Amino acid sequence: TRVSVSCRPVIANKEISGAVICLSDITLIQNLESQIRRKLSERGLKARYTFDDILHESGTMKETIETARRYAATDSNVIIVGETGTGKELFAQSIHNSSRRKNGPFVAINCAALPENLLESELFGYEPGAFSGASKNGKTGLFELAHKGTIFLDEIGDMPSSMQAKLLRVLQEKEIEPLGSEKSIPLDVRVVAATRQDLEAKMKDGSFREDLYYRLSVFNIHIPPLRERGGDSLELAEVFL
């Protein structure tokens, strides 16, 4: 059994007459930590969709879903590639809900929607007074909120180069350092990234880091566009009607 030990001296008449030793089960501490983080994530950081919600009839889509199901059973990082509107986040949520992390948070962020300085504070958080205009209470980053769960990095191909380096360090070290903090926070997070771009071409022109790509792309999923999905158009049309 792994325990956390704290020891305090018992002092009487300025002399140490003994000590109080407290042993706490690590599992209990971890569960309490999980409850605290869960309360932090009660703002709706949940995945709503599963593979059963993905409407399809075509064999191409069935194969893609089966592949994603197998990847979900592991704990490795995944890159999802597909054109705009093919359902990349739908797959990301389904992977989360089919994984051992399904009871943990699902946190999503669009890397193309925020400027670089805001993206860093959103992902990694900051300490009180870390910069001008920062909240006096500081801010918990999305990576920390995703502890024991999944973080979905949409449009990863648009992430600035300097942020790519910081993300790579987080993936390597499995810890984050909030802005203005000198302490690192250990994390247990699975990363699912998505892009509509050709990352291999971006690696060749130097706009996307090769080492980051290989950290993220332990598994790759390509979602076919609707024009390659045979009879799916009719089923989708009927549902929307």
Side-chain angles (χ1 to χ4, degrees):
T1 302
R2 289 181 176 270
V3 295
S4 171
V5 182
S6 64
C7 180
R8 295 290 182 272
V10 175
I11 301 174
N13 299 320
K14 299 182 180 181
E15 292 185 358
I16 297 177
S17 58
V20 176
I21 300 175
C22 296
L23 307 179
S24 303
D25 188 339
I26 286 290
T27 306
L28 175 62
I29 295 173
Q30 289 173 335
N31 288 339
L32 289 171
E33 180 201 20
S34 261
Q35 291 176 24
I36 292 168
R37 299 208 195 217
R38 197 173 297 119
K39 287 178 181 177
L40 287 172
S41 67
E42 281 177 353
R43 58 185 196 180
L45 303 177
K46 299 293 179 184
R48 293 180 295 160
Y49 299 108
T50 69
F51 288 115
D52 293 334
D53 295 312
I54 302 176
L55 301 174
H56 67 285
E57 287 292 338
S58 66
T60 305
M61 204 59 172
K62 285 180 181 177
E63 289 178 9
T64 305
I65 291 173
E66 283 308 308
T67 299
R69 283 185 189 276
R70 291 198 300 273
Y71 293 169
T74 75
D75 207 32
S76 300
N77 297 334
V78 180
I79 280 188
I80 302 171
V81 181
E83 297 178 13
T84 300
T86 50
K88 295 187 287 295
E89 183 165 357
L90 189 59
F91 266 81
Q93 291 193 24
S94 300
I95 288 171
H96 172 78
N97 278 330
S98 295
S99 73
R100 69 174 183 83
R101 298 175 178 271
K102 62 184 178 182
N103 294 322
F106 176 85
V107 180
I109 185 171
N110 188 321
C111 299
L114 295 172
E116 182 177 349
N117 57 334
L118 287 181
L119 182 60
E120 181 174 3
S121 63
E122 282 292 314
L123 287 176
F124 308 134
Y126 58 81
E127 291 293 299
F131 52 85
S132 298
S135 167
K136 64 180 181 180
N137 298 319
K139 181 174 184 178
T140 305
L142 296 181
F143 261 94
E144 187 176 357
L145 287 178
H147 183 64
K148 295 294 182 182
T150 304
I151 189 165
F152 175 54
L153 304 177
D154 198 8
E155 302 298 354
I156 190 73
D158 293 314
M159 180 175 280
S161 297
S162 59
M163 277 301 300
Q164 291 177 32
K166 291 172 183 176
L167 175 59
L168 176 64
R169 184 181 179 280
V170 169
L171 297 179
Q172 289 174 333
E173 305 298 330
K174 299 188 182 302
E175 60 185 25
I176 60 164
E177 190 174 295
L179 290 172
S181 174
E182 296 180 355
K183 296 181 179 179
S184 296
I185 302 172
L187 294 174
D188 176 12
V189 177
R190 183 185 198 176
V191 177
V192 177
T195 183
R196 67 188 188 285
Q197 302 184 51
D198 184 345
L199 292 185
E200 292 186 2
K202 289 179 72 69
M203 284 190 291
K204 288 178 181 177
D205 67 24
S207 58
F208 198 85
R209 293 180 65 110
E210 188 173 345
D211 45 6
L212 176 59
Y213 176 78
Y214 287 113
R215 282 279 178 180
L216 291 171
S217 64
V218 179
F219 291 120
N220 284 271
I221 297 172
H222 173 72
I223 304 178
L226 194 56
R227 62 181 177 276
E228 296 175 6
R229 289 170 53 184
D232 289 359
S233 301
L234 181 58
E235 181 181 4
L236 289 167
E238 289 176 343
V239 169
F240 290 134
L241 282 171

